[in-house]
Each structure stands twice: as structure tokens, then as C-alpha cells.
């Protein structure tokens, strides 16, 4: 009789355990890509505005802003003359053979590009992106703001004179 009770109790326990509800959980998490280009561009634009602003406040002597301001008129004249243009990396470049550039033009272009690259690095560090991304954004802004007749380089690397297409 004791064996029978023990067997009956074990059977009941097994039967009840088999009826215990189980909940299956899915551990997989699907992450869908999101596009944040606009937010990054807005932040980069704000930083570019701050860094490149031509405000009336006197910039410290020797700063990129002061050096860029000192050569701005000459570079603008060389752009209008077709000696310099804005490339698709946010830098100045010669749309024609660089062998034709005079030493003064080449020196100003190299100095301007060095200052721009320093600004790009500073902004990139703040925004946790690459300096190249900042440069591409600068190139888009410069192309939009360029006056007709200025040489600009398209995203594909082709040079065109703004206003001719």
C-alpha cells in the first residue's frame, strides 16, 4: 500500500509538472539602420559658421581666422581669374594644370588649405566624425555660395565653372 501511494504521488507530480505552462522568449534583437546625416550636417554647419565667421571681433594674431581674413581678397581675385577653384574636399585647388600657377598663388593656396584642414580636424574631433566628412560639407557650402564664374569640383571630380550649366 505504501508503494502504491508513493507511485500514485509520483504519477500525480509528473502529471502536474507536465501541465506547467512554459513561456518561450525570443532573445534576438533586430536593429534597423537609421540615417542621421541631416543631424550631423546641421552640427557641422554650426561649427563651420562659428569657426569661419567673419565677425567684427578682432581674432588673435596668428590664428587661422586672422590669416584667412588677410588673404581672402587675393584668393577671391584668383578665383575670379580662374586660377583657383573649390574642390570637392573643401580645399582650394587649381582647376587647370598646377604648373601654370605662380609661386604666390601656390603659396597662398597651400597656406589656406593648411588652415582649413586644421579647422576641419578641430570640428571633426568635436563632432566625432572624420575631417574628410567636414571637408565634404565645407565643399558643398562653398559650391552653393560661389559666385558665377567660379570653378568648383563636382562630387564626381569633374571641374565646372559655376553658372555655365
Amino acid at each position: 500500500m505504501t508503494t502504491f501511494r508513493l507511485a500514485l504521488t509520483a504519477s500525480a507530480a509528473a502529471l502536474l509538472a507536465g501541465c506547467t505552462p512554459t513561456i518561450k522568449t525570443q532573445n534576438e534583437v533586430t536593429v534597423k539602420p537609421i540615417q542621421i546625416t541631416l543631424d550631423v550636417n546641421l552640427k557641422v554647419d554650426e561649427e563651420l559658421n562659428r569657426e569661419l565667421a567673419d565677425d567684427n571681433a578682432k581674432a588673435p594674431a596668428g590664428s587661422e581666422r586672422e590669416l584667412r581674413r588677410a588673404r581672402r581678397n587675393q584668393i577671391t581675385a584668383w578665383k575670379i581669374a580662374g586660377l583657383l577653384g573649390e574642390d570637392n574636399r573643401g580645399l582650394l585647388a587649381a582647376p587647370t594644370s598646377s604648373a601654370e600657377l605662380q609661386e604666390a598663388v601656390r603659396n597662398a593656396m597651400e597656406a589656406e588649405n593648411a588652415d582649413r584642414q586644421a579647422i576641419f580636424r578641430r570640428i571633426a574631433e568635436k563632432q566625432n566624425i572624420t575631417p574628410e566628412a567636414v571637408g565634404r560639407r565645407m565643399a558643398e557650402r562653398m559650391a552653393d555660395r560661389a559666385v558665377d564664374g567660379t570653378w568648383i569640383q563636382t562630387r564626381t571630380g569633374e571641374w565646372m565653372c559655376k553658372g555655365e550649366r
Side-chain angles (χ1 to χ4, degrees), residues 83-152:
L83 297 174
L84 293 177
E86 293 287 341
D87 74 8
N88 58 10
R89 299 173 299 143
L91 302 174
L92 288 176
T96 58
S97 172
S98 59
E100 296 175 16
L101 287 183
Q102 299 170 345
E103 187 176 345
V105 177
R106 185 183 319 280
N107 290 342
M109 178 182 72
E110 290 172 356
E112 177 70 11
N113 286 342
D115 289 343
R116 287 185 185 188
Q117 288 171 328
I119 291 168
F120 297 166
R121 284 190 299 273
R122 204 167 33 248
I123 292 172
E125 191 174 298
K126 285 182 187 178
Q127 298 302 322
N128 199 24
I129 59 175
T130 65
E132 292 79 15
V134 177
R136 284 190 301 272
R137 185 64 191 146
M138 171 76 162
E140 290 172 9
R141 289 172 48 128
M142 295 303 283
D144 289 342
R145 296 177 180 183
V147 297
D148 285 350
T150 303
W151 285 97
I152 56 173

